[in-house]
Amino acid sequence: MINIRTALGKSPDLETEILLCHVLNKTRVYLFAHPEQLLSQSQWEMFQNLLAQRAQGIPVAYLIGEREFWSLNLKVNQHTLIPRHETERLVELALELIPNQPDIHVLELGTGSGAIALALAKERPHWNIVAADIIQEALSIAKLNAQNHKIQNVSFYLSNWFDNIPQHPYHALVANPPYISEHDPHLYQGDLRFEPRNALVSSQDGLGDLQCIIKQGYEYLLPGGLILLEHGYDQKLQVQTILNELQYKNVTCWQDIQGNDRVSGGWR
């Protein structure tokens, strides 16, 4: 029998609840309202199997196949980065800084599970959003998430950054690209060990993809168009330097809910 406390991570009570809800196919509200319910033999075996996998370090989001982001329950798997609440800051800024009017065109690169694009599309159904990813399996998950939430104002493209993107001038470009150095020890800790490396690691000490997006993205933006990029907590100065060198205006860095430098951007 698996020891629950040993198998689970830093929040064992929460993880236990999430896994039990998955086994029972019920909500946490149901769990609290029916504390007397016993698991069937098959449910107990499924729960023990999940605990065994969690003890190996496999992220809870991959075990249950979903993660909540911006109040959307999104399907995820080993081909997609697990959406994090820090990235919701990028969504907040986009909603705040992009004009709330019809016929706004937004480009999101490296969409993964579709978290950012779908959150924006949910809040702004009158916007036109293009979301791209280089991994077909990730793009399939993003499309499934759009279908599940009946979101119809996002178009998906298989593309290595800008290679297959419609040549349409965009009011905004947003991205949470790979920004971790290949030498970063965090890659061998926690959930990062199981997430797709191509969604995490970038060349030039983590700045390669950020630089590519900033440089090429300038030509895809309308005059006055906005670029917003998530980056590492210690990359503010480097990212702002690249933005300034490429003549973006009013370059700014915004902090996440934990007070870390998280999103930088500017206007064409």
Side-chain angles (χ1 to χ4, degrees):
M1 183 182 299
I2 303 296
N3 184 299
I4 293 178
R5 290 284 168 177
T6 302
L8 300 176
K10 296 180 180 179
S11 304
D13 293 338
L14 176 61
E15 291 190 5
T16 300
E17 293 165 9
I18 292 172
L19 293 179
L20 280 174
C21 288
H22 179 65
V23 169
L24 294 168
N25 195 26
K26 300 290 185 181
T27 66
R28 290 177 69 199
V29 172
Y30 177 91
L31 204 65
F32 296 137
H34 299 83
E36 77 289 347
Q37 179 168 340
L38 299 177
L39 299 181
S40 68
Q41 182 63 34
S42 62
Q43 289 172 334
W44 175 250
E45 291 174 358
M46 180 180 179
F47 181 58
Q48 289 292 304
N49 181 51
L50 289 172
L51 287 178
Q53 293 182 72
R54 183 68 183 120
Q56 296 171 7
I58 299 175
V60 171
Y62 288 161
L63 291 177
I64 68 173
E66 64 180 32
R67 181 65 172 262
E68 183 178 341
F69 181 87
W70 202 264
S71 77
L72 297 170
N73 283 326
L74 301 175
K75 299 294 183 184
V76 296
N77 63 21
Q78 71 273 18
H79 299 292
T80 67
L81 198 67
I82 298 171
R84 285 156 169 84
H85 291 305
E86 291 87 348
T87 302
E88 292 183 345
R89 182 63 175 138
L90 183 63
V91 175
E92 290 174 351
L93 289 167
L95 294 173
E96 175 186 336
L97 299 172
I98 302 170
N100 183 9
Q101 60 191 42
D103 297 322
I104 290 292
H105 293 267
V106 178
L107 171 61
E108 193 227 342
L109 296 174
T111 195
S113 64
I116 295 171
L118 297 177
L120 293 176
K122 176 189 175 186
E123 298 294 335
R124 300 288 188 265
H126 48 281
W127 286 2
N128 302 294
I129 300 174
V130 167
D133 202 283
I134 192 175
I135 304 299
Q136 180 63 64
E137 293 87 350
L139 212 59
S140 296
I141 290 292
K143 291 178 180 179
L144 177 61
N145 284 324
Q147 293 172 5
N148 288 344
H149 290 283
K150 297 179 173 57
I151 293 174
Q152 300 180 340
N153 55 320
V154 180
S155 301
F156 296 97
Y157 289 83
L158 185 66
S159 180
N160 181 15
W161 297 139
F162 298 91
D163 287 353
N164 192 37
I165 295 298
Q167 291 284 343
H168 190 289
Y170 296 92
H171 296 87
L173 189 167
V174 298
N176 175 21
Y179 55 74
I180 299 177
S181 168
E182 61 184 346
H183 306 296
D184 194 314
H186 292 96
L187 290 169
Y188 306 97
Q189 303 170 11
D191 290 355
L192 294 185
R193 293 172 294 166
F194 298 88
E195 295 184 82
R197 284 298 176 95
N198 67 291
L200 295 169
V201 175
S202 186
S203 61
Q204 302 176 44
D205 290 327
L207 295 169
D209 290 304
L210 283 161
Q211 186 169 32
C212 172
I213 293 171
I214 293 170
K215 182 176 181 180
Q216 296 187 44
Y218 193 90
E219 301 302 323
Y220 283 75
L221 288 172
L222 288 161
L226 171 69
I227 187 170
L228 286 174
L229 300 168
E230 179 172 332
H231 55 72
Y233 72 96
D234 57 351
Q235 294 175 321
K236 168 186 173 180
L237 293 180
Q238 297 99 313
V239 174
Q240 289 193 329
T241 296
I242 299 170
L243 286 164
N244 282 315
E245 287 177 348
L246 290 164
Q247 306 301 311
Y248 286 89
K249 308 301 182 185
N250 300 319
V251 171
T252 306
C253 181
W254 294 269
Q255 296 181 328
D256 61 24
I257 194 171
Q258 297 177 339
N260 294 317
D261 293 327
R262 182 59 57 194
V263 178
S264 288
W267 286 260
R268 174 172 176 174

